[in-house]
Amino acid sequence: MSVTVRVQSEDFDISKEIAFLRRDNPRIGAIASFIGVVRDMNEGDSVAEMTLEHYPGMTEKSVEDIITQACDRWQVMDAVVIHRIGTLKPLDQIVLVVVSSAHRGDAFAACEFIMDFLKTRAPFWKKEQTGKGARWVDARAADDAAAERWQR
Amino acid sequence: MANTITVLYFARLRETFGMASENMALPYDVASLEGVRATLAARGGVWAHELAAGRAFRAAVNQDIASADTAVKAGDEVAFFPPVTGG
């Protein structure tokens, strides 16, 4: 079992992360991944770029805690979460979640759970540059609902 | 130093308050996050507005998400921030 959490301004390469996670582990039967990328539109306005701020220390702690919760619920072998900070432009990658497991059901579920909780619990904030000026992105009720459905 | 806490502000709150962190003397009768919130809100102006009870802000004590009744003691790190929007 290995857990990797990184907060960085540099881009990431999913193929390298998956190669690292697989190593030569023949017990892995499934790898599920998610990549979040910057859209050029939000709330009906075009977005030129966005800046991501976070709470160093708490960020890593909260993501590790989310992964621990996922491991309590599903058979997870390894998990990698990378979240970028700083200024990003449309098409840029923001976040990567990769989960390995013996079977796909656990890998899919754990990957989605980690992403849903990251959206609502990990201390990151986005500020967008739009044609109307800079604005902080508001939290979405849909994200809270996505995280809450796992409580049922 | 003995009776102070560190208070951090992030994102919109950091901009509105014009500071990222401060050392605050912990009043002798304050022992919870709610007490810290009320002390800051008593400064008036943007502090009273942003930290009014019922406003949509979040808080952490020693880097764990906290609620109004979470205990706060000297030496703790308290943070106030808007609902998170990462991912």
Side-chain angles (χ1 to χ4, degrees):
Chain A
M1 169 92 210
S2 87
V3 170
T4 304
V5 176
R6 294 210 303 270
V7 179
Q8 61 188 43
S9 49
E10 304 79 51
D11 199 7
F12 51 79
D13 179 345
I14 187 173
S15 60
K16 279 187 189 161
E17 300 304 329
I18 289 178
F20 165 78
L21 177 145
R22 293 184 68 182
R23 298 181 298 275
D24 290 314
N25 185 352
R27 294 182 302 125
I28 293 174
I31 296 167
S33 65
F34 173 86
I35 295 178
V37 297
V38 181
R39 267 195 323 267
D40 66 354
M41 289 285 286
N42 193 30
E43 308 280 330
D45 297 314
S46 66
V47 175
E49 62 178 42
M50 66 167 59
T51 303
L52 272 138
E53 174 177 335
H54 79 122
Y55 181 172
M58 181 174 171
T59 311
E60 293 80 357
K61 194 173 164 180
S62 66
V63 175
E64 282 163 14
D65 181 57
I66 290 164
I67 293 172
T68 301
Q69 289 181 50
C71 293
D72 288 344
R73 297 173 72 133
W74 297 283
Q75 298 263 313
V76 173
M77 275 181 204
D78 309 284
V80 176
V81 174
I82 301 174
H83 203 301
R84 295 179 69 193
I85 51 168
T87 301
L88 300 173
K89 291 183 160 50
L91 300 175
D92 283 347
Q93 305 187 110
I94 307 175
V95 60
L96 171 71
V97 179
V98 185
V99 174
S100 67
S101 178
H103 302 286
R104 72 181 185 285
D106 291 280
F108 273 132
C111 185
E112 188 169 22
F113 173 92
I114 290 168
M115 199 54 221
D116 282 349
F117 275 72
L118 189 149
K119 293 280 294 187
T120 55
R121 305 288 164 85
F124 290 98
W125 301 273
K126 290 187 185 120
K127 189 176 194 179
E128 297 174 334
Q129 271 305 330
T130 73
K132 295 174 183 166
R135 68 184 182 197
W136 289 99
V137 175
D138 278 331
R140 290 159 53 95
D143 290 334
D144 285 333
E148 273 163 21
R149 77 201 151 102
W150 296 102
Q151 320 280 9
R152 280 175 224 142
Chain B
M1 189 62 211
N3 66 336
T4 63
I5 58 172
T6 302
V7 190
L8 308 178
Y9 309 105
F10 290 96
R12 188 175 48 75
L13 293 185
R14 173 178 52 75
E15 288 186 348
T16 305
F17 295 154
M19 66 175 81
S21 72
E22 64 177 311
N23 289 316
M24 188 184 109
L26 196 62
Y28 72 94
D29 58 345
V30 168
S32 69
L33 182 65
E34 168 55 22
V36 175
R37 183 206 64 77
T39 303
L40 293 169
R43 291 173 176 176
V46 291
W47 299 88
H49 181 250
E50 294 290 350
L51 298 176
R55 284 276 291 177
F57 62 84
R58 301 284 182 270
V61 174
N62 297 329
Q63 305 189 352
D64 283 320
I65 286 288
S67 53
D69 59 357
T70 300
V72 174
K73 61 185 186 315
D76 282 352
E77 177 178 294
V78 176
F80 291 93
F81 43 81
V84 303
T85 56

